[in-house]
Amino acid sequence: MRQVYMDYNASTPLSTNVKTVLSYWMDRSYGNPSAGHWAGTEAKKAVEKARSRVADFIGAEPGEIVFTSGGTEGNNHVLKGIYELCGAKPCHIITTAVEHPAVMEPCRYLEKHGAVVTYVGTDSYGRVNPFDIEAAITKDTALISVMHANNETGTVQPIEEISAIARRFKVPFHTDASQSLGKIPVNVNDLGVDFLTIAGHKIYAPKGIGALYIRKTAALSPLLHGASHETGRRAGTENVLFTAALGEACADAASIDITEVQRLRNLFWELLQQNFPLRVHRNGHPVHTLPNTLHVRFTGITGQDLLQQMPFLAASTGAACHSGSVELSAALRALGLTEQEGAGAVRFSLGPYSTDEDVFAVIEALKQIL
């Protein structure tokens, strides 16, 4: 059968314009942006142009953008950088029970080094209550970190409401926007955040490039130490090739027709309900959700077995099955699903290259299996 890609939340293909930029800079990006000669000057111009494009995409100033190796580095930078600023003082961090491992694991690491972390729960849709965040704040709270949108269920968090609370208590606020960029509006001033994480491979740029927004009034210790790259905030010679690609990707993402992607997602859900009304259930928030994401669970079959019987389809499960036991993801556990319910979970995530034919192909295959 034709191959069908429905795993855009995991990674996206390179856009046509990004491929063009990569091809152009392949033979021109060898100069070190820190060098004073013509090759270095050309490379630096490419980096600064990309910085401006990323800033424009999220409503920031160019000087507030720091290029990173991806979302994981950005999240680690914020969490560990804030912890370093605490010094000998107690350090309390508030996050949620549905965060990506790129936030959860640094938090667990910091707990081993003396930080106190509060993991706020969610409702049955995976959405956090801002008042629960407020109730968790103490005099030692140094950071609040809440993802903009969940990578599995697609549930969008009330970032604006949480940021208002953070400002009232004068607590720095970070959001991981890796999953929301290019799908819903992301403006750092509208969201009211001090730090925001970007992952390039989620918005049609290569893997291995990302950016971190640091509000100009926010303090943050560097994660990497070395020379004075990125105005001393991130040591290491800039990846000119991928940085230029990220700038182009941000310009591309701003022009994506997300309403067409949402139409396909809705069509897919309607057909699933029509054909398997007793065997399919939707997870995540029905309204506050990413327009491209459909997270469902099937009864009577595990998501792992289902996808194994559909080798033409690229999609993701929400549970790992090992020797008869089921290990649910943090997002599924937060929804209150049982192991049996969670075992049948599958995340379908669509993008601008998805088609009606893709949806119909998957539905026909599911008819044969279910």
Side-chain angles (χ1 to χ4, degrees):
M1 295 185 66
R2 63 197 298 272
Q3 291 181 320
V4 173
Y5 190 76
M6 289 188 174
D7 208 17
Y8 279 80
N9 284 12
S11 193
T12 56
L14 299 179
S15 71
T16 300
N17 288 338
V18 165
K19 291 178 184 177
T20 300
V21 166
L22 286 170
S23 178
Y24 176 84
W25 282 107
M26 194 76 71
D27 295 325
R28 295 174 173 84
S29 64
Y30 51 87
N32 189 321
S34 298
H37 48 63
W38 62 267
T41 300
E42 186 174 15
K44 185 174 180 60
K45 285 181 179 178
V47 170
E48 295 311 315
K49 179 180 179 181
R51 198 185 308 278
S52 294
R53 300 181 94 173
V54 174
D56 288 344
F57 187 42
I58 61 173
E61 297 179 13
E64 297 176 312
I65 301 300
V66 174
F67 291 112
T68 67
S69 63
T72 295
E73 182 187 325
N75 291 338
N76 272 262
H77 189 168
V78 174
L79 290 160
K80 295 176 181 177
I82 288 292
Y83 175 78
E84 287 289 332
L85 288 180
C86 289
K89 298 184 299 183
C91 186
H92 176 229
I93 297 170
I94 299 172
T95 188
T96 78
V98 295
E99 296 298 310
H100 190 277
V103 166
M104 297 290 273
E105 291 305 315
C107 283
R108 293 185 179 118
Y109 169 83
L110 293 176
E111 284 182 295
K112 295 177 182 177
H113 288 75
V116 175
V117 182
T118 299
Y119 301 91
V120 176
T122 69
D123 60 19
S124 59
Y125 296 116
R127 203 162 195 252
V128 70
N129 186 332
F131 294 111
D132 291 341
I133 297 288
E134 181 174 356
I137 296 175
T138 73
K139 62 181 179 59
D140 297 324
T141 303
L143 179 71
I144 299 171
S145 180
V146 179
M147 62 175 15
H148 193 189
N150 187 266
N151 49 297
E152 291 186 54
T153 63
T155 296
V156 178
Q157 301 294 352
I159 298 301
E160 295 92 337
E161 297 173 52
I162 297 172
S163 70
I165 293 170
R167 286 195 299 273
R168 181 152 47 90
F169 284 87
K170 295 182 172 57
V171 177
F173 184 34
H174 164 248
T175 191
D176 181 352
S178 300
Q179 207 56 249
S180 56
L181 281 162
K183 300 165 188 168
I184 57 177
V186 176
N187 182 290
V188 293
N189 296 306
D190 292 342
L191 294 177
V193 296
D194 299 293
F195 310 104
L196 182 141
T197 301
I198 297 171
H201 74 106
K202 307 287 189 180
I203 50 171
Y204 314 97
K207 300 167 185 63
I209 186 67
L212 176 64
Y213 162 76
I214 304 175
R215 187 174 291 276
K216 59 185 177 182
T217 55
L220 188 68
S221 291
L223 178 67
L224 301 177
H225 297 83
S228 58
H229 306 93
E230 298 292 285
T231 60
R233 294 171 297 181
R234 199 271 190 182
T237 302
E238 295 88 345
N239 184 340
V240 180
L241 182 64
F242 282 12
T243 296
L246 177 60
E248 187 68 30
C250 285
D252 280 357
S255 63
I256 290 175
D257 183 6
I258 200 64
T259 58
E260 171 61 14
V261 179
Q262 187 171 27
R263 181 193 69 79
L264 281 175
R265 192 276 310 272
N266 292 343
L267 171 64
F268 192 19
W269 175 229
E270 290 169 6
L271 291 175
L272 285 172
Q273 290 177 291
Q274 291 173 15
N275 288 278
F276 319 106
L278 302 179
R279 297 200 64 181
V280 65
H281 309 274
R282 189 171 180 177
N283 301 319
H285 204 284
V287 177
H288 301 291
T289 187
L290 294 176
N292 78 313
T293 305
L294 182 61
H295 195 286
V296 300
R297 63 184 189 273
F298 296 92
T299 59
I301 189 171
T302 69
Q304 185 173 307
D305 287 342
L306 187 68
L307 294 184
Q308 284 179 348
Q309 296 183 59
M310 304 171 68
F312 71 95
L313 173 65
S316 295
T317 63
C321 302
H322 305 286
S323 302
S325 66
V326 178
E327 182 182 341
L328 299 185
S329 68
L332 294 186
R333 286 197 304 271
L335 297 181
L337 299 181
T338 65
E339 288 188 355
Q340 184 176 11
E341 291 171 331
V346 179
R347 180 193 69 189
F348 302 97
S349 49
L350 288 68
Y353 303 113
S354 301
T355 64
D356 290 69
E357 288 72 25
D358 290 340
V359 171
F360 297 142
V362 174
I363 291 294
E364 288 305 312
L366 288 172
K367 287 180 182 179
Q368 299 296 320
I369 298 168
L370 299 178

